[in-house]
Amino acid sequence: MFARKPKEPIVITRIQCGPRMSQAVVANGFVFTAGQVAAAPDNASTAEQTRQILGQIEDLLAAAGATKHDIVSATIWLADIADFAQMNSVWDAWVAQGATPARATVEARLASPQYRVEIAVIACPDTENSPG
């Protein structure tokens, strides 16, 4: 039988913790963001909302000691999959080349009709990033 090693406690840090959810959580060296939507969605195109969201994600990652180079996974929800190219044009200009994360993009009904895109990421700071 294998002897179990005593587990070290996992330190959890919550960023912008609210009554319903935190905007980001750091646990066991990983940063998990909540799904981010545009702060000013009214009359904003999918591209404009995507730019807003990616800025918010950069701020959350910075608060957690990470950068966009540390993102290992992204999930993107679009209210209309026809907006895929619009979102992708902003994403492609923003994402760290050579450190692109695994990603899934799906169409979904979002929390409110003015939201056209929502993005959540998982990052792993303090690691060596090597291109694939």
Side-chain angles (χ1 to χ4, degrees):
M1 290 279 136
F2 295 103
R4 287 183 64 168
K5 293 182 181 179
K7 291 184 179 181
E8 291 190 28
I10 295 173
V11 176
I12 297 174
T13 304
R14 300 176 195 287
I15 298 168
Q16 296 180 22
C17 184
R20 183 167 291 130
M21 64 185 207
S22 297
Q23 292 302 308
V25 175
V26 182
N28 207 27
F30 286 88
V31 181
F32 302 85
T33 70
Q36 299 296 303
V37 294
D42 294 333
N43 301 316
S45 68
T46 298
E48 292 165 337
Q49 288 192 22
T50 302
R51 268 189 283 285
Q52 287 181 38
I53 293 164
L54 295 175
Q56 291 164 207
I57 288 172
E58 282 197 78
D59 291 344
L60 289 169
L61 291 174
T67 72
K68 64 184 177 181
H69 292 82
D70 300 317
I71 297 172
V72 295
S73 180
T75 304
I76 302 171
W77 297 270
L78 292 171
D80 185 345
I81 202 70
D83 293 339
F84 186 79
Q86 240 190 103
M87 176 279 301
N88 246 356
S89 67
V90 176
W91 174 270
D92 289 346
W94 176 82
V95 73
Q97 294 305 307
T100 52
R103 189 183 98 172
T105 304
V106 297
E107 181 180 58
R109 183 178 306 157
L110 301 181
S112 185
Q114 76 263 31
Y115 297 128
R116 306 195 53 74
V117 61
E118 181 172 344
I119 303 174
V121 302
I122 300 170
C124 186
D126 301 324
T127 59
E128 248 185 68
N129 290 300
S130 59

